[in-house]
Amino acid sequence: MAELPFDPEAVRRGMIPAHIYNDEEVFRLERERLFNRAWIFVGHVSEVPQPGDYVVRQVLDDSFIISRGEDGEVRALFNMCLHRGMQVCRAEMGNASHFRCPYHGWSYRNDGRLVGLPFHKDAYGGEAGFRRKGQTLLPAPSLDTYNGLIFISLDPDAPPLVDYLGDFAFYLDYYTKQSPSGIELSGPQRWRIKANWKIGAENFAGDMYHTPQTHTSVVEIGLFREPKAEKRKDGNTYWAGNGGGTTYKLPPGTLEERLRYVGYPESVIEGMKRSWTADQLDVVGRDGFMVSAASLFPNMSLVHNWPRVEDSEDVLPFISIRTWQPISAGETEVLSWFAVDAEAPEEFKALSYKAYLMCFGSTGMFEQDDVENWVSLTHTAGGAMARRLLLNSRMGLLEDGAATTPALTKEQFAGPGEAHVGYGEYNQRHMLNRWSDYLARPSAPVASVRVGEAPVGATSNETEAVTA
C-alpha cells in the first residue's frame, strides 16, 4: 500500500498534521477512498413531493437527478446521457415526465428508462445495432432514506444506511421527526467558501470551545437569553454511531416547561411526545439537555438553536441541515436547508424561518463569524511550514489518554454513545479517526456498465432478459 501523505498514528493521538486542511494529495485520496464509499446526504423527499418532481445534486463531480417517477418511487439517476455523455438535465429543479439530452436528442422517462433515440433504425439498424430496450440512466449504486432524508452511496456494497447511522439515528430524530409527519425542507441556499470541507464538519460536530471567542457578539447584543457565551460548557458533547454533536443545558423544569423555554408551541410539543421514544424524551425532560449542532460523517451537519426574533423575551427555535460539498482542497460549496416540523402552525414556520436566516445561511451572523476563521485556517494550511506542524487536538484528554471528565452515566444522560460535559475535542477526534481509516483503505475496482450491448459471454436467454 502506498504511503499516506500524513501520519495516521499521529491523528489517532489527537495530533493533527496541519496540512491536511489544504493538500491536493489528501484531497485526491478523499475523492477516491472516502466520497466513493460513504453515505452522502443529497436531499429530502419533501423536495420532490409529486410524480415528475426532481432536483439535481452533486457528490463531488458526479451529478445526480433526484427524481420521483410516475410510480411514486424516488430515484437517484446519474446525470449523463448514455450516448456521448452530455448532461441530460441542466436545470436545478423542476417537474418533468421526460428528460431530453440537448446534444443528440436521446430522451428518458423520469424513472431513467431510455424511450427516445432519434433515427434508431437509420443510425443503428434498430435493435440489432443498439439494444434500446432495458437501457436506463445509470442509477446511484446505493440509495436509501431515513425519516425522509435521501442518502446515496457510490459503493454498491455499502452497508445498510441504518447500520451506517448506528446510534446517531437516536439524535437525528430530534431534528427530523418532531411529529409523525416528519419535516419539510426549504432551500437549499448555496454558496462557496475558500475553506476546506473538513473544518466546518468538525466545527458543527462538537466545537463548543470556539463559541465564547468567535460568537461573543451574538450574545452581547441580546440575541440569546444566556448572558454569556461560556454557558456552552454546561452542555455536553456526545458521539454515537457515525456522528455526534453538542447540547445546551436547560434550566430546571418538566419536559413541557423545558420545551416551552426553547420556544416550541403546545401543538409541536404534543407531536414530539407522540414521536420520540421514552429515552429521547428523558434526555430533555429528565436530564435537561437539548441538542444543538451536530455532524454525520463525513459531510452532513445540523443546527438547532432558539434566538430572539422580535423585540421581546420570546425565542423561536429553528432547524437547519447542510452539506459541506468539496470543490477542491481549499474550497467548499455549502448547501443549507431550512427544516421545520410539517405539522407545525404556519405562523411558527414563518417565524422559525426568520430565526434561521438571522443566524445561519449565507448572510447569517454565526455564518460570517465562522467563515472568517475557516478561510484563514485553510490559507495558512497550504504553506510549507504547515507540513512541519502537528496541531494539538487533545482537548479533554490527560497525558495518559484518560478523559479529563468522566463520561456521563445512563442515569445522567439517557442517550446512547459517550457524552462528556464541558469543553473537549472528543468528536473532532472521532471524525478524523474515521476519515483516516477510510483514506488508509485502498478502493476496490468497480465493474464497467456496457451500454446498448449484451453482457460479454451472455447466452441467448440472458440476452433476451437484458433487452426485455
Side-chain angles (χ1 to χ4, degrees):
M1 182 180 68
E3 185 176 347
L4 292 172
F6 61 89
D7 180 2
E9 290 306 314
V11 173
R12 291 206 169 279
R13 295 194 306 273
M15 302 301 295
I16 310 304
H19 73 278
I20 69 168
Y21 297 107
N22 195 351
D23 183 278
E24 290 299 333
E25 177 61 16
V26 167
F27 183 64
R28 183 190 67 79
L29 289 172
E30 289 172 346
R31 179 193 301 273
E32 174 191 332
R33 299 182 179 185
L34 173 55
F35 286 94
N36 273 349
R37 288 179 175 145
W39 283 99
I40 306 297
F41 171 70
V42 293
H44 188 267
V45 294
S46 65
E47 297 182 90
V48 288
Q50 302 299 324
D53 286 347
Y54 69 88
V55 295
V56 174
R57 297 284 151 75
Q58 298 282 135
V59 177
L60 273 72
D61 294 329
D62 290 319
S63 174
F64 289 92
I65 308 168
I66 313 300
S67 173
R68 188 179 292 273
E70 303 304 319
D71 58 0
E73 184 176 343
V74 175
R75 297 173 175 84
L77 306 169
F78 183 43
N79 191 10
M80 189 177 203
C81 182
L82 300 179
H83 176 219
R84 300 294 292 171
M86 176 67 181
Q87 274 197 334
V88 173
C89 181
R90 292 187 290 174
E92 290 192 25
M93 62 183 65
N95 181 282
S97 61
H98 294 74
F99 302 107
R100 184 175 182 271
C101 176
Y103 197 1
H104 297 98
W106 288 31
S107 59
Y108 306 83
R109 291 185 61 84
N110 54 24
D111 61 7
R113 284 181 291 168
L114 175 64
V115 292
L117 195 164
F119 313 113
H120 185 205
K121 184 171 180 58
D122 292 342
Y124 290 95
E127 288 293 308
F130 181 92
R131 301 176 184 277
R132 186 180 65 183
K133 294 181 180 179
Q135 303 297 323
T136 70
L137 292 173
L138 199 62
S142 299
L143 180 148
D144 206 349
T145 62
Y146 182 83
N147 289 351
L149 304 169
I150 306 168
F151 293 83
I152 64 175
S153 175
L154 305 190
D155 182 0
D157 299 317
L161 177 61
V162 67
D163 294 343
Y164 182 86
L165 296 175
D167 284 335
F168 184 71
F170 177 99
Y171 301 99
L172 195 52
D173 288 349
Y174 287 115
Y175 303 91
T176 59
K177 195 175 72 172
Q178 293 188 345
S179 74
S181 298
I183 56 170
E184 56 190 32
L185 264 60
S186 298
Q189 290 183 304
R190 194 177 71 180
W191 66 96
R192 291 190 178 190
I193 57 177
K194 295 291 185 179
N196 185 268
W197 70 273
K198 294 187 290 299
I199 305 170
E202 291 176 32
N203 179 281
F204 277 56
D207 193 343
M208 294 197 294
Y209 189 61
H210 82 293
T211 307
Q213 320 306 323
T214 299
H215 301 306
T216 300
S217 61
V218 300
V219 175
E220 290 179 343
I221 65 174
L223 189 63
F224 292 96
R225 283 191 177 124
E226 286 74 12
K228 292 182 180 295
E230 285 83 349
K231 287 287 291 181
R232 294 293 278 134
K233 72 177 184 296
D234 296 335
N236 69 41
T237 57
Y238 63 86
W239 184 272
N242 217 20
T246 67
T247 74
Y248 278 93
K249 182 66 175 176
L250 300 172
T254 65
L255 169 72
E256 291 80 5
E257 289 169 340
R258 283 169 159 164
L259 290 171
R260 288 188 206 108
Y261 176 85
V262 175
Y264 283 107
E266 295 301 322
S267 62
V268 176
I269 293 173
E270 289 304 309
M272 293 170 172
K273 290 163 67 174
R274 295 196 311 272
S275 302
W276 293 347
T277 66
D279 281 346
Q280 287 169 330
L281 293 169
D282 276 349
V283 166
V284 180
R286 186 197 75 183
D287 307 329
F289 293 105
M290 175 56 76
V291 296
S292 179
S295 288
L296 171 68
F297 182 82
N299 69 328
M300 176 189 185
S301 291
L302 308 105
V303 184
H304 177 235
N305 224 315
W306 44 96
R308 294 188 177 100
V309 294
E310 303 291 350
D311 187 18
S312 73
E313 289 299 304
D314 294 335
V315 295
L316 263 297
F318 69 87
I319 295 170
S320 178
I321 301 174
R322 64 174 52 194
T323 59
W324 312 96
Q325 171 74 18
I327 301 299
S328 67
E331 186 173 11
T332 299
E333 185 169 84
V334 185
L335 277 73
S336 178
W337 291 260
F338 166 70
V340 68
D341 175 20
E343 296 185 15
E346 291 303 315
E347 181 182 8
F348 173 83
K349 291 180 180 180
L351 288 172
S352 182
Y353 184 59
K354 183 176 180 180
Y356 156 70
L357 291 176
M358 185 168 56
C359 292
F360 284 93
S362 57
T363 59
M365 286 186 282
F366 281 94
E367 205 79 56
Q368 302 304 311
D369 289 342
D370 285 330
V371 168
E372 185 174 353
N373 292 330
W374 301 346
V375 169
S376 178
L377 192 167
T378 302
H379 175 75
T380 308
M385 289 298 292
R387 294 184 171 275
R388 308 181 186 189
L389 181 62
L390 293 179
L391 304 172
N392 189 304
S393 186
R394 289 177 55 83
M395 187 186 305
L397 294 181
L398 300 174
E399 185 66 29
D400 63 0
T404 57
T405 58
L408 297 179
T409 65
K410 192 67 175 178
E411 288 69 34
Q412 296 170 308
F413 186 67
E418 185 174 287
H420 295 263
V421 169
Y423 298 132
E425 290 169 323
Y426 308 99
N427 294 358
Q428 292 94 318
R429 289 191 293 271
H430 279 298
M431 290 205 78
L432 284 179
N433 283 341
R434 276 168 168 68
W435 169 86
S436 179
D437 289 344
Y438 269 85
L439 267 59
R441 183 162 54 94
S443 298
V446 295
S448 299
V449 176
R450 301 171 64 85
V451 176
E453 294 181 348
V456 174
T459 66
S460 58
N461 290 337
E462 289 171 335
T463 300
E464 289 299 317
V466 169
T467 59

